[in-house]
């Protein structure tokens, strides 16, 4: 691709999210979301084959529908209140529509069906950008709209997402689909405390992005797409095998790793607000997530596939793939739990 | 001609149905043309004469023309029109029957309340719009766009430019 285009497309992606996050006018927020979607399309279609074309089309259709719903909410807000600021949305039909639109953008249940199919059809780095950067803009809108969004819709989709993310990932052997279902589940956890404490939502999102970036970076080194290719990782690079195991344990939310911190804070915040049964079921459903991460760890580090006795160790080549800041990401995604005492700043 | 806006809205919706029923792209273009023209007329009848003419010129005269030419290059030999599919024809007839039914109900009972209450044609008569006052609202809006709203022009221009670039990149297969 032309180097100018190769620079302009990530620049548009970045400025789209920045526009959404920094605007107070609804029209510019919507324009930022559209720029995001448009700029991601050639990134999703980096490798031109029918699979990625289909994935890109599905992504485009669902995101456009969500943008149109959001535009409808904006126009209803405009006709009923006569102003375009984001923080004054009084009309209940406008807020319900906006809630539905943002849920579609994030890929929460029951609008989650596009995420596994789109993530599976695109290269690993594109999937990384799809599951991390694209969550920033809708979450920033939800953060600003937090007291106004319809709590029934939010809680329903939260509960459904955590369940769907857990059960959906159980039957998968392709790693990109597993990461997609993991994303659905984590987005469910993220929106769970939207009504009680939006700052905790930002904490959950940041740690989720950290963990997902780490996982995807390690998967791109040897282009692991399936569980069976992970099972051969111990021979190529035992250090990465160990690191993937630790990161997956952190994704599952086990102490003493970083992934435990957001779940702990979320459960604490929900219980402070007298909600006991919901976090109970959320935690039980998170065990489903942990099960398929454990299956990956089992194949990667805890077992060896049946081989002959004198198996040759592979030659350790230098990695040709660019892994950005992998040691930093690894340390951050496993050892951040001792920073838990700073969480009172979220209130 | 008090019901002009209402009539135009009806034609608007029908032509939307016309291209949403997915005929061949050339006939979809016809639906877009009619709905675009009628939409412009609605804007003009509400007082925004400048903006209506702008949309007519740019949307219909520019983009629809380009769409029509490119579709004509890519069309197949026997394009499927609306009347060819039995389901589409049935849906069209059903829609027309429903419209007739609603009009008869309106004439008999003077009020139709299905989702929204539609009491009289008086709601569709426009007594004030953008064209009243010392300055026309639409021309003032355009002037404001280029003075106070320069950031919006930059954002819109960049988005449209990137849209074209991305479409060309994707079509090229690069």
């Amino acid at each position: 691709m032309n180097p100018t285009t190769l620079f302009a497309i990530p620049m548009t992606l970045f400025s789209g999210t920045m526009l959404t996050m920094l605007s107070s006018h609804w029209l510019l927020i919507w324009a930022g979301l559209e720029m995001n979607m448009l700029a991601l399309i050639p990134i999703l279609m980096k490798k031109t084959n029918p699979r990625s074309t289909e994935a890109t089309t599905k992504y485009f259709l669902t995101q456009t529908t969500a943008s149109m719903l959001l535009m409808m909410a904006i126009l209803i807000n405009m006709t009923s209140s006569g102003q375009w600021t984001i923080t004054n949305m009084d009309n209940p039909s406008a807020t319900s529509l906006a809630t539905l639109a943002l849920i579609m953008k994030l890929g929460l249940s029951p609008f989650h069906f596009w995420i596994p199919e789109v993530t599976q059809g695109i290269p690993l780095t594109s999937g990384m950008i799809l599951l991390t950067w694209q969550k920033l803009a809708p979450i920033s809108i939800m953060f600003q709209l937090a007291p106004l969004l319809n709590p029934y819709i939010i809680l329903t989709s939260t509960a459904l997402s955590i369940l769907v993310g857990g059960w959906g990932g159980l039957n998968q052997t392709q790693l990109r689909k597993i990461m997609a279902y993991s994303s659905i589940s984590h987005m469910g956890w993220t929106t769970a405390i939207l009504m009680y404490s939006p700052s905790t939502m930002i904490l959950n999102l940041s740690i989720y992005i950290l963990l997902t970036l780490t996982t995807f970076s390690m998967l791109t080194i040897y282009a692991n797409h399936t569980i069976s290719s992970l099972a051969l990782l111990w021979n190529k690079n035992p250090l990465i095998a160990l690191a993937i195991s630790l990161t997956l344990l952190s994704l599952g939310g086990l102490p003493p790793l970083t992934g435990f911190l957001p779940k702990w804070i979320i459960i604490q915040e929900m219980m402070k607000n007298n909600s006991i049964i919901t976090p109970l079921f959320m935690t039980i459903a998170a065990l489903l997530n942990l099960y398929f991460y454990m299956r990956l760890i089992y194949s990667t580090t805890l077992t060896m596939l049946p081989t002959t006795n004198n198996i040759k160790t592979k030659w350790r080549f230098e990695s040709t793939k660019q892994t950005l800041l992998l040691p930093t990401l690894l340390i951050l995604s496993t050892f951040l739990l001792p920073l838990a005492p700073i969480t009172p700043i979220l209130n | 001609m008090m019901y002009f806006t209402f009539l135009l809205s009806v034609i608007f919706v029908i032509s939307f149905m016309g291209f949403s029923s997915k005929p061949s792209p050339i006939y979809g273009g016809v639906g877009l043309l009619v709905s675009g023209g009628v939409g412009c007329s609605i804007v003009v009848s509400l007082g925004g004469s400048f903006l209506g003419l702008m949309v007519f010129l740019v949307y219909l005269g520019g983009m629809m023309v380009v769409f029509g030419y490119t579709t004509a290059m890519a069309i197949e030999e026997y394009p499927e029109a609306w009347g060819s599919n039995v389901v589409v024809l049935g849906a069209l007839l059903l829609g027309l029957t429903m419209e007739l039914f609603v009009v008869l109900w309106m004439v008999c009972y003077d009020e139709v309340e299905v989702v929204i209450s539609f009491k009289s044609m008086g709601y569709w008569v426009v007594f004030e719009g953008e064209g009243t006052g010392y300055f026309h609202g639409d021309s003032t809006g355009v002037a404001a766009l280029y003075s106070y709203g320069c950031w919006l022009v930059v954002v819109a221009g960049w988005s449209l430019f990137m849209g074209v670039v991305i479409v060309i990149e994707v079509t090229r297969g690069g």
Side-chain angles (χ1 to χ4, degrees), chain A residues 1 5 8-9 11-12 19 28 31 35 38-39 42 45 48, chain B residues 151-152 155 158-159 162-166 169-170 172-174:
Chain A
M1 213 188 276
T5 329
I9 287 173
M11 192 190 96
T12 314
L19 192 62
L28 283 174
M35 278 169 78
L38 214 50
M45 280 194 67
T48 43
Chain B
W151 175 238
L152 190 60
V155 168
W158 181 253
S159 317
M162 284 311 293
V164 171
V165 164
I166 285 165
E169 279 294 334
V170 165
R172 208 162 59 119

Side-chain angles (χ1 to χ4, degrees), chain A residues 3-57:
Chain A
T4 318
T5 329
L6 211 55
F7 167 71
I9 287 173
M11 192 190 96
T12 314
L13 188 65
F14 179 75
S15 34
T17 309
M18 284 296 116
L19 192 62
T20 306
M21 288 166 96
L22 299 175
S23 294
S24 50
H25 194 277
W26 261 123
L27 192 65
L28 283 174
I29 292 171
W30 180 84
L33 285 174
E34 292 294 291
M35 278 169 78
N36 244 359
M37 174 191 68
L38 214 50
L40 196 67
I41 299 224
I43 297 178
L44 295 185
M45 280 194 67
K46 252 195 311 204
K47 302 227 167 64
T48 43
N49 50 51
R51 191 75 189 269
S52 61
T53 314
E54 183 191 336
T56 316
T57 315

